[in-house]
């Protein structure tokens, strides 16, 4: 189970408050903690936003078919190749498949 967006926002708020309070003290070790906790606050905020938007998308399905059809029409109008066509073009090309697998595993997955 993913961390709910409310908890993520609460954690981000606690981290931000820690940063605000800890900045008042002049301690080199505390400065490292402030930097780490500030990054955690940013990550938890972004995660909370991501989960909130995901929640909205999952609970609101009205119009999904119409939006998908509109997107399909746009793809055909600008003559984008289909996914099947692209797969057939590179499926037997080992260097291409290696590149796309590395890209997906190394860039796309962590970014998501």
């Amino acid at each position: 189970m993913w961390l709910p967006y409310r908890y993520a926002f609460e954690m981000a708020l606690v981290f931000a408050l820690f940063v605000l309070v800890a900045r008042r003290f002049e301690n080199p070790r505390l400065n490292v903690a402030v930097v780490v906790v500030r990054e955690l606050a940013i990550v938890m905020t972004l995660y909370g936003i991501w989960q909130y938007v995901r929640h909205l998308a999952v609970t609101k399905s009205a119009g999904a078919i119409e939006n998908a059809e509109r997107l399909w029409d746009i793809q055909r109008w600008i003559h984008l190749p289909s996914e099947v066509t692209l797969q057939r073009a590179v499926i037997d090309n080992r260097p291409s498949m290696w590149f796309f697998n590395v890209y997906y595993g190394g860039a796309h997955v962590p970014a998501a």
Side-chain angles (χ1 to χ4, degrees), residues 51-105:
Q51 283 291 24
Y52 181 70
V53 169
R54 182 178 170 270
H55 167 75
L56 292 176
V58 170
T59 59
K60 307 285 190 272
S61 60
I65 297 296
E66 293 81 11
N67 289 339
E69 289 172 348
R70 191 173 0 182
L71 181 60
W72 176 246
D73 290 340
I74 291 169
Q75 289 176 339
R76 289 187 307 191
W77 181 69
I78 61 176
H79 303 290
L80 286 179
S82 71
E83 185 176 347
V84 173
T85 302
L86 292 174
Q87 285 180 354
R88 285 182 183 149
V90 297
I91 197 77
D92 292 327
N93 186 329
R94 283 193 173 285
S96 295
M97 291 308 298
W98 178 85
F99 170 78
F100 290 123
N101 285 334
V102 168
Y103 168 77
Y104 185 78

Side-chain angles (χ1 to χ4, degrees), residues 18-81:
F18 172 83
V19 169
L20 290 174
V21 171
R23 279 187 177 173
R24 296 177 184 240
F25 301 100
E26 296 294 329
N27 184 340
R29 290 182 185 167
L30 195 55
N31 289 340
V32 172
V34 167
V35 171
V36 170
V37 173
R38 183 182 64 214
E39 291 297 318
L40 284 172
I42 293 169
V43 167
M44 293 313 295
T45 300
L46 293 173
Y47 175 84
I49 292 169
W50 174 61
Q51 283 291 24
Y52 181 70
V53 169
R54 182 178 170 270
H55 167 75
L56 292 176
V58 170
T59 59
K60 307 285 190 272
S61 60
I65 297 296
E66 293 81 11
N67 289 339
E69 289 172 348
R70 191 173 0 182
L71 181 60
W72 176 246
D73 290 340
I74 291 169
Q75 289 176 339
R76 289 187 307 191
W77 181 69
I78 61 176
H79 303 290
L80 286 179

